[in-house]
Amino acid sequence: MSFSRPSPYHRRFLLMCGIVGFIGKRAAKPVLIDGLKRLEYRGYDSAGLAVRTDRGFDVVKTTGRVASLARLAGAREIAGTLGISHTRWATHGGVSEANAHPHVSSDGKIALVHNGVIENYADIRRFLTGKGYTFSSETDTEALCNLIAYHYAKEPEPAGNNGSGNGGSRFFTAVRKTLRHVEGTYGIVAICADCPDEMIGARKGSPLILGVGKDEFIIASDVSAIVTHTSNVVYLNDDELVHVTRDRFRVTTSGEDGVEAKIDTINWKVEDAELGDFPHFMLKEIFDQPRALENAMRGRFSDDGSTAKFGGLNMTPFELRQVDRILFTACGTAWHACLVAEYMIERFARIPVEVEYASEFRYRNAPLDKNTLVFVISQSGETIDTLGALREAKRKGFRTLGITNVVGSTIARESDGGIYQHAGPEIGVASTKAFTSQILIASMLALYFGRMRDMSFSDGVAMVQAFKKTPEYVSRILESADQIQAIARQYAQMKDFLFMGRLSMFPIALEGALKLKEISYIHAEGYPAAEMKHGPIALISPECPSVFFATSGETSQKVIANIQEVKARKGPVILVRSEACDVPDGLADDT
Ligand code: M6R
């Protein structure tokens, strides 16, 4: 972990599938189902579990909800204390019971759950078909499962090892050998019908965490499935395997080296992962914004109140002063936060900033100047493309800093330094409080760099004062929730929306459009308001509302002119504006 002092909060990662594995003294079934319920928020289309019993594996799978799985499994006596479960988001093969995980090898020896994509699964499948293995699903995971079974069948039992030792069993060797032949990404948990005391996890590109409880272990793709059982966790790194027996665990690399596993403590309250009185996590997290903003600022202003300070950048003021260009890279909502960073840093610190989609940056071999500082922003700290971009920048020798919410996440560990958001767990798939916390941190960075350069003491003090008011402002907006909801209802049947703003409100417009698409399944586009006349204006009609974001300042009159253009074409206008922005009464339909 490279950010200076780790502190609380862990949460979801950006894979839709969820994994839980359990080994302990109590029955596995309730732990496996409870774990899946805690991962439900990631979205999925089928669910399943497998518990090892004396007869082999007891497997229950279903399409649809975890509640259906719980009903089916509840109706059966499943008594084992070792098992795995999974929520699947279909990638290879449609949504069906056969394609749901866990998969069991055709010889009945291995059960496996898997997140990620096995790219060479067709070759593996062909190879195994030639060896007599059969397939009952269309998934890449089943190929992996059968390949473990193949290596397991070939592997001689080590002398004096009954499979329960921690020094490396035949099952463990089979998993390790299998992974050497696999191309793609995986987070897996495997169990073996012959091995009542063993569970094996491995990761490459998909997060996997081991929870270390009293007399029990839980492996999960997300800490929220672990937190109710233990706060002691080990974050696996890419290319690591964990071999868990009933009383021990051992982490190794795929190259067989032992790894000194560090047990971290999750400083995350169980209530943070509960809904409380809210109907869903997105709403809970929207209302959590004032607290998230407070946390982003806590302890991060200088004693004289004129600048920001960040403990984890791991760069001296001298080094920071040498930076003459900054590259921000991220995906999705976090990419929009990067755009806000660009506006703020260029305006207040006068450092040229470039923003790249991480998915593009990692492949396009952009020429970078030697004094460029690379920032990645990622709420989860696990987004593959963002991680890929970070690694590419590091490979080229650039100093990399991360802004992330999840302590101990891969991005936090692999960057040279960074800033934790401390926004608290963001469980809803749609980024809300993490976004506003990211843009506050980006703005604080603008202040920090600005004060190192030309920004005056009094301008710095004014900016700090303004930042300190943001939680209160957000609370005031949240007090209008009923009014906002009433406006939303009026427009709920519309099929297309435009979102528009200027300068730093342009990324906000992009983010508004993204949220509407993602959450409401309504088509929306974000534009810089002035670009409207270069094409999108053709869409304006009574059936296509425009959402404008307007603040006071040099462009406010221009935004008003844009609104007038929309009104002239009978387009409905919803205006989100600051109090100080002077807009003629009645110009917008809703404000
Ligand atoms: O965890 P990250 O910030 O790296 O996630 C990046 C995007 O996938 C994410 O921001 C996504 O766009 C949001 N969930 C949308 O609401």
Side-chain angles (χ1 to χ4, degrees), residues 233-247:
V233 295
V234 175
Y235 292 95
L236 293 190
N237 291 310
D238 272 353
D239 285 316
E240 284 181 356
L241 293 91
V242 62
H243 183 199
V244 186
T245 57
R246 296 221 169 244
D247 57 356

Side-chain angles (χ1 to χ4, degrees), residues 179-347:
L179 295 179
R180 282 191 200 135
H181 297 285
V182 161
E183 287 160 24
T185 55
Y186 52 82
I188 56 164
V189 185
I191 54 178
C192 172
D194 297 339
C195 311
D197 302 320
E198 288 181 83
M199 172 168 78
I200 295 167
R203 82 162 261 187
K204 185 177 179 187
S206 273
L208 211 61
I209 303 148
L210 172 72
V212 182
K214 187 169 172 340
D215 300 326
E216 62 186 32
F217 297 94
I218 301 165
I219 300 180
S221 50
D222 182 327
V223 82
S224 47
I226 297 178
V227 74
T228 46
H229 305 287
T230 177
S231 10
N232 298 325
V233 295
V234 175
Y235 292 95
L236 293 190
N237 291 310
D238 272 353
D239 285 316
E240 284 181 356
L241 293 91
V242 62
H243 183 199
V244 186
T245 57
R246 296 221 169 244
D247 57 356
R248 276 175 290 175
F249 70 91
R250 181 166 172 261
V251 180
T252 57
T253 63
S254 54
E256 301 190 22
D257 299 323
V259 170
E260 203 177 321
K262 181 170 159 281
I263 299 185
D264 282 304
T265 306
I266 309 170
N267 193 356
W268 176 12
K269 293 195 252 24
V270 176
E271 309 86 80
D272 287 341
E274 309 282 1
L275 274 175
D277 292 335
F278 289 96
H280 52 77
F281 280 107
M282 184 174 168
L283 196 61
K284 180 183 182 207
E285 288 155 12
I286 287 171
F287 275 87
D288 207 20
Q289 287 178 98
R291 191 165 65 124
L293 296 174
E294 295 276 7
N295 288 345
M297 290 186 284
R298 183 159 297 120
R300 286 187 171 151
F301 293 121
S302 61
D303 292 343
D304 67 1
S306 77
T307 188
K309 59 178 187 185
F310 299 100
L313 297 182
N314 297 340
M315 288 176 78
T316 63
F318 179 77
E319 287 169 329
L320 286 162
R321 197 62 187 78
Q322 307 310 306
V323 170
D324 53 25
R325 189 160 164 256
I326 301 178
L327 175 87
F328 273 88
T329 183
C331 300
T333 292
W335 185 79
H336 297 152
C338 293
L339 290 178
V340 177
E342 178 182 19
Y343 279 98
M344 298 301 281
I345 293 174
E346 290 195 341
R347 175 170 172 194

Side-chain angles (χ1 to χ4, degrees), residues 426-446:
E426 191 177 66
I427 292 176
V429 175
S431 190
T432 54
K433 65 175 177 177
F435 176 63
T436 43
S437 142
Q438 284 160 356
I439 62 181
L440 176 58
I441 288 170
S443 307
M444 288 163 63
L445 267 175

